[in-house]
Amino acid sequence: MVRPFVKLSLLLLIALQLVAWQTAAAQAKSPAESMTAAATAFLAGLSPEQRSETIVAFDAPERRDWHNIPKDDRKGVEFGELDADQQKLALALLRSALSDDGYAKALKIMALENNLREGEKNLQGAPLRDPERYYITIFGEPGDKGTWGWSFEGHHFSQNLVVRDGKVVGDTPSFWGANPATVKIFVEGGPEVGTRTLAQEEQLAFDLLASLDASQRAVAVVADTAPADYRGPGQPEPPRAAPEGIQASKLSAAQREKLAALLATYCSNLAPELATARLAEIEAAGAERVHFAWLGAAEPGVGHAYRVQGPTFLLELVNIQSDPAGNPANHIHSVWRSLHHDFGVATAAK
């Protein structure tokens, strides 16, 4: 028999642990205070021409124009156009939103552009691959009062934050990708061979799938073939389809722990206070209402995908594309979207 969820679920316990892991320095400032200080310092370090590239009105349509592909034209100032001191200030802004692990993953994702450039050097018409081709944009005026936001975006990485009256009110869309998902050939400037930048994001879902019995798997597996990509890439609104797969309330206690660990992995890419807020929101809306759906193969190296959806969020991971060397299913796209405040835009609960 499946035991019911207890009042203090594993998600909330993880959230409390994230708070406990914060250092004294991190506790001295809230994420919003850290972002405001970092954004102010970044803007102060720019030339007038660079500031004009960087600052966009908060209500401009560009704020919700995002994508994970290697676009030719993006909003904001390019990281590669900044000098060394300005780059440090830009990275300090990124660091203000992320945990140590999340920040390390972000730098690995950027470094993987070196692998792509080397792997595609003989490919006609290949996109420009450059670990410094990421863009920083400030929307509105950073401050303790009013609403402002910022984004850090490029190929396989897009973070979008909104601050209102000294509180972070939006931290999605949050896109994390990796190509190659597992590094098989060393390239100068890229991660070491064997590096799996998004290892836990993928492996924990495999572990959960493997733990399901036949009847549970019949509900959880919603397609024998993985989709070509996640739903709604680059769209200003998250997909609104009903959740698919098996509901958390139908999982055993051990299986729910695996699902909670998967969600915590994504949330813990953020600064601890932001991670805690995400997990607490899931808990408040009913962790037992979260659904887990699997699509495609049940083993690595063959196209696979999963979707995790609750009343407040949608998480998707797809690994179907080959890496530059032709290794199949070695190219991850993953995205977390809020169903209530994507881009900091409040949406009525469904």
Side-chain angles (χ1 to χ4, degrees):
M1 178 181 293
V2 175
R3 289 183 293 172
F5 271 56
V6 294
K7 185 174 182 181
L8 187 62
S9 77
L10 184 65
L11 276 177
L12 188 54
L13 289 172
I14 292 171
L16 294 172
Q17 184 62 53
L18 285 167
V19 171
W21 284 342
Q22 293 183 91
T23 64
Q27 289 175 335
K29 285 186 177 181
S30 70
E33 290 172 325
S34 296
M35 289 178 196
T36 301
T40 301
F42 174 62
L43 290 176
L46 300 179
S47 69
E49 293 78 13
Q50 290 170 324
R51 280 197 295 274
S52 68
E53 286 185 88
T54 303
I55 300 174
V56 175
F58 182 80
D59 58 357
E62 292 92 327
R63 188 171 71 85
R64 300 176 74 184
D65 177 16
W66 74 284
H67 216 301
N68 60 278
I69 60 175
K71 293 173 66 175
D72 291 331
D73 183 35
R74 268 194 162 91
K75 59 186 181 286
V77 65
E78 186 178 345
F79 186 80
E81 293 179 354
L82 305 175
D83 65 31
D85 289 335
Q86 293 169 331
Q87 287 185 347
K88 290 178 182 178
L89 293 171
L91 291 176
L93 176 58
L94 177 61
R95 184 67 182 83
S96 70
L98 303 179
S99 65
D100 292 341
D101 286 345
Y103 183 64
K105 288 178 188 179
L107 296 183
K108 287 178 184 177
I109 289 169
M110 296 168 71
L112 283 171
E113 292 297 286
N114 290 309
N115 298 66
L116 292 176
R117 184 177 62 246
E118 177 65 20
E120 297 174 347
K121 63 184 179 182
N122 296 321
L123 183 62
Q124 189 78 20
L128 176 63
R129 308 297 194 180
D130 185 345
E132 293 192 338
R133 199 162 182 261
Y134 290 80
Y135 295 77
I136 305 95
T137 314
I138 306 294
F139 304 100
E141 182 178 350
D144 298 331
K145 301 295 182 182
T147 304
W148 68 280
W150 60 279
S151 68
F152 193 111
E153 180 177 278
H155 183 225
H156 279 166
F157 191 67
S158 180
Q159 305 302 312
N160 300 272
L161 287 297
V162 176
V163 179
R164 180 174 301 122
D165 294 332
K167 181 180 180 181
V168 177
V169 295
D171 55 40
T172 58
S174 180
F175 184 95
W176 303 74
N179 183 13
T182 301
V183 176
K184 299 178 182 292
I185 301 172
F186 178 73
V187 170
E188 190 67 33
E192 296 296 324
V193 171
T195 297
R196 293 177 65 191
T197 304
L198 303 176
Q200 291 296 95
E201 287 86 342
E202 186 175 38
Q203 189 58 50
L204 288 171
F206 271 123
D207 294 345
L208 174 55
L209 178 68
S211 75
L212 302 179
D213 63 30
S215 61
Q216 290 174 317
R217 188 174 290 224
V219 178
V221 178
V222 298
D224 293 331
T225 303
D229 209 343
Y230 64 97
R231 295 173 293 178
Q235 295 300 306
E237 288 281 343
R240 298 286 179 182
E244 303 172 281
I246 189 167
Q247 190 167 319
S249 61
K250 304 300 182 182
L251 300 176
S252 70
Q255 290 166 339
R256 292 199 302 270
E257 287 182 7
K258 289 180 171 62
L259 179 57
L262 176 62
L263 296 177
T265 294
Y266 279 90
C267 292
S268 63
N269 287 328
L270 297 176
E273 190 172 317
L274 299 181
T276 299
R278 258 199 203 173
L279 292 169
E281 184 181 50
I282 295 171
E283 175 78 15
E288 74 281 359
R289 298 170 63 191
V290 173
H291 285 68
F292 173 77
W294 188 271
L295 307 89
E299 67 276 349
V302 187
H304 54 275
Y306 64 78
R307 296 167 182 163
V308 185
Q309 184 170 342
T312 62
F313 74 99
L314 172 63
L315 163 64
E316 298 195 35
L317 179 145
V318 178
N319 188 350
I320 190 171
Q321 299 180 56
S322 299
D323 66 17
N327 298 298
N330 197 33
H331 178 167
I332 289 176
H333 288 175
S334 74
V335 65
W336 185 295
R337 303 202 69 167
S338 170
L339 299 177
H340 288 177
H341 43 77
D342 225 31
F343 288 107
V345 177
T347 304
K350 299 290 186 180

